[in-house]
């Protein structure tokens, strides 16, 4: 009897979470820390889609590190769209024939509906007065960010510091390397990922400053409001794209190309941009930008293309074995 | 004196490594009160993760038991070439990290894998769907029942079975009336261990699941997902479910150890 009741409950549960097949459905494969963001976005899109097409849509979400996600899609994870935080991972899908070669041209702003940049999170009252990248190289400052070898987040931090130093020193690569090495020496522990680094900084209370994406600094500060952590955006940083793409190889088969395209286009609409901005992401929509102007301080953004000549060059000059990262990442 | 010291050391070690973290899970989960805790557990996606984990265990454990009985029977009653090799192979999952199994399955059944093209042509979902999760979990749990039952069967020999055959018992009668009663506690013990392992499996499943929420997300994966969200209360609430399953298993195991 009990078993029967359990079975009934289980069946009800399955029915409740896997709606009838008459509905449109879309699988959005995303990076590891975007769950709450899309939990807010998806129901609003569902309403918009209903109004536009008269059809119901269920959006399923998968979250993990975006490199792992790209790998899974290549092996058959049936993603209709990807919303990633690393361009290189979309590039991997393009090389594997899952995504159009010219995916950057398919949507505005190089297919990046929102963006961010490495920024700082400091202790209550900013006691060490940390406001710019040069402060991270001071002898009295301990810096926390994840390992640039294993974490895309850490890689952006490394590149942002390097780009800052290049600019400060008029393009002198030697000086830039010395500067980044100094910051690396100020890191007491390199965690493998962004969340572990957050734990180190917040829960274990190690370090004076955590470096992570601006959107993350705000979410962490809000989550641990009782700690009084302060999000600080430096005056200069590195543009970090959050690229999106339709996985055409799958949508052609699923007949979801139109829906997938509509979903990603909708991310550029004012109502979506507002939700994105509310969650600490920078957006391009002029109206929404004006609404949130006082929330986002002015920042001069350098780009991977301008400073480094693109991701391929970063790979060969910085990240490859024996590259610049290996030189400045000593004794680790 | 030495004895007291050793006991003290054992207690302190257990407290540090087991008791304190366990208590901490419940403290954190209930930190925001019972209603917040209940809301976290009753979240549809958390419920679905609980259901997925239950479903996987419900499929995997009976197969492990059936396989365990069959393999133990074969290995204890018959001598044949390659017997030692077979035992080693069956026990291999104990020494291989589940993540290796996950990657092997990914490379074998994936779209770019050996069998991937065949599966795709016939619209068979293995990876990133229930079958893949079940298969990886099965890989991890296979040795548990065999390991418990085999030594017992070997120790008992086949005298009773021979006697039953002499008295005219059929194969099924032999199994049901003689073999099974002899091994039942070991069998249950193995099944309990396999359940615990199936429920807690993370590494291999993480590779083949695709972590689609409300579809292929198991409870351990869900805990990590919530943790990544900075949703510590939700993560700890989901973790208490896993912990309680583990505690039930522990009690079952202790009871069975006495009965054995």
């Amino acid at each position: 009897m009990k078993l029967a009741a359990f079975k009934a409950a289980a069946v009800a549960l399955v029915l409740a979470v896997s709606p009838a097949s008459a509905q449109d459905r879309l699988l959005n494969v995303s990076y590891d820390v975007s769950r709450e963001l899309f939990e807010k976005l998806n129901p609003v899109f569902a309403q918009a889609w209903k109004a536009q097409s008269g059809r119901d849509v269920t959006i399923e979400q998968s979250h993990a590190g975006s490199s792992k996600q790209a790998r899974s899609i290549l092996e058959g994870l049936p993603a209709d769209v990807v919303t990633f935080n690393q361009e290189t991972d979309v590039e991997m899908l393009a090389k594997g024939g899952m995504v159009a070669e010219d995916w950057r041209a398919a949507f505005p702003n190089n297919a990046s509906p929102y963006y961010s940049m490495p920024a700082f999170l400091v202790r209550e009252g900013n006691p060490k007065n940390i406001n710019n990248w040069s402060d991270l190289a001071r002898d009295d400052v301990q810096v926390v960010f994840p390992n640039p070898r294993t974490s895309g987040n850490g890689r952006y931090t490394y590149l942002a510091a390097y780009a800052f130093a290049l600019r400060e020193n008029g393009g002198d690569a030697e000086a830039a390397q010395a500067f980044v090495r100094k910051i690396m020496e100020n890191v007491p522990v390199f965690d493998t990922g962004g969340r572990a680094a957050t734990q180190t900084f917040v829960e274990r209370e190690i370090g004076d400053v955590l470096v992570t994406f601006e959107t993350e600094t705000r979410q962490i500060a809000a989550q641990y409001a009782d700690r009084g952590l302060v999000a600080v955006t430096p005056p200069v940083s590195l543009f970090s794209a959050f690229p999106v793409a339709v996985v055409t190889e799958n949508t052609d088969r699923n007949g979801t190309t139109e829906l997938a395209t509509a979903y990603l286009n909708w991310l550029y609409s004012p109502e979506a941009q507002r939700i994105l901005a509310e969650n600490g992401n920078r957006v391009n929509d002029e109206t929404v930008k004006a609404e949130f102007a006082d929330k986002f301080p002015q920042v001069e953004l350098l780009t991977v293309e301008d400073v480094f000549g693109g991701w391929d060059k970063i790979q060969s000059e910085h990240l490859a074995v024996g590259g610049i990262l290996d030189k400045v990442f000593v004794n680790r | 004196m030495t004895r007291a010291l050793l006991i003290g050391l054992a207690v302190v070690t257990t407290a540090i490594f087991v008791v304190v973290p366990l208590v901490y899970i419940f403290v954190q989960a209930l930190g925001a009160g019972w209603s917040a805790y209940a809301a976290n557990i009753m979240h549809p996606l958390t419920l679905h993760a609980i259901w997925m984990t239950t479903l996987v265990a419900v499929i995997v454990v009976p197969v492990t038991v059936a396989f365990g009985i069959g393999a133990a029977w074969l290995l204890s009653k018959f001598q044949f070439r390659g017997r030692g090799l077979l035992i080693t192979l069956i026990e291999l999952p104990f020494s291989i990290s589940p993540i290796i199994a996950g990657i092997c399955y990914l490379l074998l059944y994936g779209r770019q894998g050996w069998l991937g093209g065949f599966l795709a042509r016939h619209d068979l979902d293995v990876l990133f769907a229930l079958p893949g999760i079940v298969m990886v979990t099965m890989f991890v749990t296979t040795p548990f029942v065999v390991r418990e039952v085999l030594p017992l069967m070997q120790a008992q020999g086949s005298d009773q079975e021979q006697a039953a055959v002499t008295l005219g018992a059929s194969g099924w009668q032999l199994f049901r009336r003689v073999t099974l009663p002899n091994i039942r506690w070991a069998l249950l013990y193995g099944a309990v261990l396999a359940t615990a392992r199936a429920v807690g499996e993370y590494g291999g499943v993480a590779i083949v699941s695709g972590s689609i929420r409300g579809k292929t997300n198991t409870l351990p994966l869900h805990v990590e997902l919530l943790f990544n969200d900075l949703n510590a209360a939700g993560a700890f609430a989901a973790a208490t479910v896993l912990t309680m399953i583990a505690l039930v298993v522990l009690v079952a195991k202790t009871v069975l150890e006495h009965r054995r």
Side-chain angles (χ1 to χ4, degrees):
Chain A
M1 185 55 219
K2 262 185 188 162
L3 193 66
F6 177 76
K7 270 186 190 162
V11 168
L13 196 62
V14 172
L15 290 178
V17 291
S18 50
S21 57
Q23 278 189 325
D24 287 333
R25 53 174 61 235
L26 197 71
L27 176 58
N28 175 7
V29 172
S30 193
Y31 52 99
D32 44 4
V33 297
S34 60
R35 192 184 77 105
E36 278 187 18
L37 180 61
F38 284 101
E39 207 155 73
K40 287 172 192 155
L41 288 164
N42 290 343
V44 186
F45 171 73
Q47 281 176 7
W49 181 246
K50 175 98 179 166
Q52 184 197 326
S53 69
R55 297 167 65 85
D56 289 315
V57 61
T58 307
I59 294 155
E60 287 160 350
Q61 290 284 147
S62 165
H63 299 275
S66 73
S67 299
K68 183 191 158 198
Q69 297 289 56
R71 177 79 217 210
S72 295
I73 291 169
L74 288 175
E75 295 296 352
L77 180 63
D80 295 295
V81 299
V82 291
T83 50
F84 280 173
N85 56 358
Q86 298 284 323
E87 288 176 272
T88 41
D89 295 325
V90 187
E91 208 47 57
M92 188 163 133
L93 292 178
K95 285 194 182 113
M98 304 299 293
V99 159
E101 287 279 337
D102 60 344
W103 60 272
R104 280 191 182 83
F107 296 96
N109 305 321
N110 286 320
S112 185
Y114 54 104
Y115 64 96
S116 199
M117 73 273 334
F120 310 148
L121 187 68
V122 298
R123 304 277 172 208
E124 187 164 15
N126 197 0
K128 296 263 172 106
N129 196 25
I130 297 163
N131 297 303
N132 204 344
W133 293 96
S134 47
D135 294 320
L136 305 191
R138 270 164 35 197
D139 287 333
D140 64 328
V141 171
Q142 279 204 324
V143 187
V144 174
F145 61 91
N147 189 332
R149 285 208 188 98
T150 56
S151 158
N153 188 339
R155 206 167 299 153
Y156 264 114
T157 295
Y158 158 79
L159 293 171
Y162 194 91
F164 167 84
L166 267 186
R167 212 185 64 135
E168 289 294 289
N169 295 288
D172 182 348
E174 285 293 321
Q177 287 174 26
F179 176 81
V180 176
R181 187 180 295 121
K182 186 75 196 56
I183 292 183
M184 295 284 202
E185 283 165 8
N186 282 347
V187 180
V189 47
F190 279 102
D191 293 296
T192 52
R195 275 300 180 256
T198 302
Q199 288 286 316
T200 300
F201 182 74
V202 180
E203 301 282 356
R204 292 168 63 197
E205 301 198 323
I206 290 175
D208 302 304
V209 51
L210 173 73
V211 190
T212 182
F213 293 122
E214 184 188 52
T215 160
E216 285 282 294
T217 63
R218 282 146 190 257
Q219 276 167 35
I220 297 164
Q223 181 70 27
Y224 297 95
D226 55 322
R227 312 277 176 111
L229 301 171
V230 184
V232 175
T233 302
V236 184
S237 195
L238 188 70
F239 178 88
S240 314
F242 286 75
V244 300
V246 175
V247 186
T248 44
E249 175 72 17
N250 291 338
T251 57
D252 286 348
R253 200 176 49 241
N254 298 342
T256 47
T257 310
E258 188 201 350
L259 172 62
T261 310
Y263 178 67
L264 295 184
N265 265 324
W266 175 80
L267 293 176
Y268 293 86
S269 73
E271 62 179 344
Q273 299 265 296
R274 198 165 287 124
I275 297 171
L276 287 161
E278 277 164 8
N279 285 273
N281 301 286
R282 303 239 178 178
V283 296
N284 288 297
D285 185 273
E286 292 301 333
T287 327
V288 179
K289 249 166 101 173
E291 283 171 35
F292 287 85
D294 57 331
K295 257 188 78 180
F296 293 110
Q298 283 285 328
V299 52
E300 184 190 343
L301 286 177
L302 311 169
T303 68
V304 161
E305 283 68 30
D306 291 347
V307 179
F308 301 99
W311 285 104
D312 287 344
K313 271 207 159 156
I314 287 177
Q315 185 59 43
S316 58
E317 288 174 13
H318 286 260
L319 308 180
V321 177
I324 297 173
L325 177 59
D326 272 356
K327 276 198 228 163
V328 302
F329 202 35
V330 281
N331 303 327
R332 296 289 180 184
Chain B
M1 183 56 209
T2 320
R3 186 164 166 267
L5 199 71
L6 282 175
I7 292 175
L9 203 65
V11 168
V12 170
T13 314
T14 315
I16 292 175
F17 288 105
V18 182
V19 180
V20 172
L22 277 183
V23 172
Y24 187 71
I25 289 174
F26 285 91
V27 169
Q28 283 286 323
L30 294 169
W34 279 100
S35 59
Y37 174 75
N40 277 323
I41 297 279
M42 296 309 288
H43 191 287
L45 294 171
T46 301
L47 284 180
H48 187 274
I50 296 172
W51 157 242
M52 269 304 285
T53 292
T54 312
L55 180 64
V56 169
V58 165
I59 297 172
V60 165
V61 173
V63 177
T64 306
V65 166
F67 171 79
I69 296 172
W73 170 277
L74 176 72
L75 290 167
S76 64
K77 311 292 176 190
F78 302 96
Q79 292 295 331
F80 52 90
R81 272 165 69 98
R83 185 176 166 276
L85 182 68
L86 187 59
I87 295 180
T88 311
L89 281 179
I90 288 174
E91 294 195 345
L92 202 58
F94 273 138
S95 48
I96 290 186
S97 166
I99 199 159
I100 308 281
I103 291 172
C104 289
Y105 278 60
L106 188 72
L107 297 180
L108 192 57
Y109 296 98
R111 206 172 133 271
Q112 305 174 324
W114 284 359
L115 300 173
F118 173 83
L119 294 170
R121 273 195 301 281
H122 294 82
D123 256 336
L124 295 170
D125 289 334
V126 173
L127 289 187
F128 315 114
L130 185 63
I133 299 174
V134 166
M135 282 157 65
V136 167
T137 311
M138 230 171 251
F139 174 91
V140 174
T141 57
T142 36
F144 282 90
V145 173
V146 188
R147 263 272 275 249
E148 293 302 321
V149 174
L150 180 57
L152 194 67
M153 278 193 173
Q154 276 174 329
Q156 287 173 345
S158 49
D159 296 352
Q160 293 186 6
E161 270 112 348
Q162 280 172 7
V165 172
T166 316
L167 293 172
S170 71
W172 175 243
Q173 278 177 322
L174 181 70
F175 175 73
R176 212 169 53 87
R177 312 285 283 270
V178 181
T179 312
L180 196 56
N182 278 338
I183 59 163
R184 62 185 162 179
W185 296 118
L187 192 63
L188 269 175
Y189 188 71
V192 164
L193 289 182
T195 308
R197 194 67 190 76
V199 166
E201 169 51 23
Y202 172 82
V205 169
I207 302 267
V208 300
S209 132
S211 317
I212 306 171
R213 291 187 303 145
K215 232 176 151 181
T216 65
N217 220 20
T218 61
L219 199 46
L221 297 182
H222 193 61
V223 171
E224 195 210 14
L225 185 67
L226 293 170
F227 174 75
N228 276 343
D229 264 355
L230 296 174
N231 182 352
F236 279 110
T240 59
V241 179
L242 271 179
T243 311
M244 284 187 289
I245 295 174
L247 289 177
V248 169
V249 167
L250 191 70
V251 170
K253 179 170 162 285
T254 314
V255 171
L256 287 170
E257 265 166 1
H258 281 288
R259 300 294 296 265
R260 207 136 64 112

